Amino acid sequence: MHAALPSSFLHLRSLADVEERLSDGRIQQVIAKPREVRGSIFIAHLLIIPIYIGALPFISEYVPTALFHGLFLFMAFSSLSSNQFFHRLTLIFTEQ
């Protein structure tokens, strides 16, 4: 679960060839030919690496470790409701 722009549907649609077709009296846009998007995703992630390396001294000096522990703990607990394994474990202890 992440908010990277290259993986979004807008990015996929912007790289595809779109045709407009008349269907039921309405003009609909249909994707005629999708293009390769792995290259742009790879380049975007490569551009993130220097930003992270540049921010590393700031992160290690000014951001407390407890903040990261709390953030990861919150992410773990908030994702439990959509986890199928956790859902099946709760079914053991609840009535049908």
Side-chain angles (χ1 to χ4, degrees), residues 19-30:
E19 293 179 353
E20 292 183 354
R21 295 183 183 165
L22 185 62
S23 174
D24 297 329
R26 294 179 18 196
I27 297 176
Q28 293 182 344
Q29 293 183 346
V30 179

Side-chain angles (χ1 to χ4, degrees), residues 5-6 11 38-55:
L5 180 63
H11 182 70
R38 288 182 286 185
S40 59
I41 293 172
F42 182 70
I43 291 170
H45 283 89
L46 280 179
L47 293 174
I48 291 173
I49 291 173
I51 296 171
Y52 178 72
I53 291 174

